[in-house]
Amino acid sequence: AADVEARQLLAPAPAASNSSSLAGVRLSLSGLDTECKETARAICGELGIHLESGVTAQTTHVISGLVDVEQRIVKRTHKFIQAVLLGKWILTIDWLRACLAQRCKADESPFEVRGDASQSVRHGPSRGRRMAAQGRKLLAGYKIALTSTYTLPMDILEDLARAAGAAVVTKEDAAASGYHHLAKNLVAIVERPLVHDSQEPVPSGGHSRDGPVLVEFKWILDSASACQVMPTHPYSPSTPQAEAASA
């Protein structure tokens, strides 16, 4: 089916091809099913678009697989969150189809995704682009200590935290702040700035009211996905966990 669609999309091609505006496009694919992935690769091959395996500072666009077509909601992936934090265009595959039809780079705005299916906060991708254009980082001024999780490799979590601008501190730094044994799935926010993008106030001095804050690691993922520092209280671990973590 993917081959049929690709042939239909790619033929007949207009006699005059102007794909020069696509020369600088460096594109990555995220969360696409097999059919859409094959179609995307075929279009990229036809238009000379450079495909990348990951999302880096040089990436310009990410094509994400939709889980809600009407609302333009996608599956959360490492690439999706990385693209939000780096301020990249995150688009549906229809953007590639529009590029093929026009034989040049189509306007991205109508195809920008609104968010991922793992949370309800929308428009993280557009916020990420604005923040990147302003030279700002979501978690600039934050110092956090990480632990291993049951579902996410430690290196990926650390990669995302650093991409968001956070300083990842050592276990010794966390211990000095009162957390000697962090349980799995938890993050210690050792320090945060006085002014930040969260909906909750930060007391004078730039630190949390009662010292470092302990949250579940999903706080980092949701904040990054929304490109908005989420309030910490919904991510507070249960009391037994918190006591065990800070014992």
Side-chain angles (χ1 to χ4, degrees):
D3 291 339
V4 172
E5 182 189 10
R7 286 196 297 270
Q8 290 174 340
L9 286 167
L10 299 177
S17 175
N18 176 22
S19 59
S20 59
S21 64
L22 289 165
V25 173
R26 301 178 69 90
L27 186 142
S28 187
L29 307 178
S30 170
L32 295 173
D33 60 30
T34 301
E35 181 177 339
C36 287
K37 191 178 296 184
E38 291 177 0
T39 297
R41 286 173 174 166
I43 296 175
C44 287
E46 170 69 13
L47 296 179
I49 295 175
H50 179 79
L51 267 176
E52 299 184 330
S53 58
V55 176
T56 68
Q58 288 70 45
T59 305
T60 60
H61 298 70
V62 173
I63 301 298
S64 285
L66 292 170
V67 297
D68 185 330
V69 176
E70 183 178 348
Q71 296 299 319
R72 297 206 301 275
I73 303 303
V74 301
K75 177 183 178 182
R76 176 180 290 180
T77 65
H78 178 207
K79 286 184 181 181
F80 170 81
I81 296 179
Q82 192 81 349
V84 172
L85 293 173
L86 292 175
K88 308 304 179 182
W89 280 108
I90 308 176
L91 311 169
T92 72
I93 194 173
D94 286 337
W95 178 73
L96 279 178
R97 295 184 175 111
C99 290
L100 183 65
Q102 299 173 28
R103 307 300 290 184
C104 66
K105 187 166 71 171
D107 179 20
E108 292 96 342
S109 299
F111 306 99
E112 185 169 39
V113 306
R114 295 193 174 107
D116 72 65
S118 297
Q119 68 169 352
S120 59
V121 179
R122 299 294 177 242
H123 305 296
S126 60
R127 274 192 292 270
R129 289 189 299 100
R130 289 195 299 271
M131 186 171 285
Q134 295 165 1
R136 297 190 297 127
K137 290 287 189 179
L138 180 68
L139 297 181
Y142 279 74
K143 292 182 180 180
I144 61 176
L146 305 175
T147 63
S148 58
T149 75
Y150 294 109
T151 58
L152 192 67
M154 183 71 169
D155 60 336
I156 290 181
L157 184 60
E158 184 170 341
D159 182 42
L160 293 175
R162 293 187 190 280
V168 180
V169 301
T170 64
K171 292 181 180 179
E172 288 75 17
D173 291 323
S177 300
Y179 291 101
H180 302 283
H181 301 288
L182 284 173
K184 273 183 176 290
N185 286 342
L186 298 183
V187 172
I189 304 174
V190 177
E191 183 177 327
R192 51 183 171 168
L194 179 61
V195 179
H196 59 87
D197 294 327
S198 176
Q199 298 175 9
E200 60 185 357
V202 177
S204 60
H207 300 272
S208 59
R209 185 173 289 103
D210 300 311
V213 177
L214 201 64
V215 294
E216 296 174 350
F217 81 96
K218 193 172 183 290
W219 173 81
I220 292 180
L221 303 184
D222 286 353
S223 295
S225 170
C227 203
Q228 175 179 301
V229 180
M230 305 302 289
T232 56
H233 59 85
Y235 301 88
S236 298
S238 62
T239 301
Q241 273 186 308
E243 291 176 352
S246 58

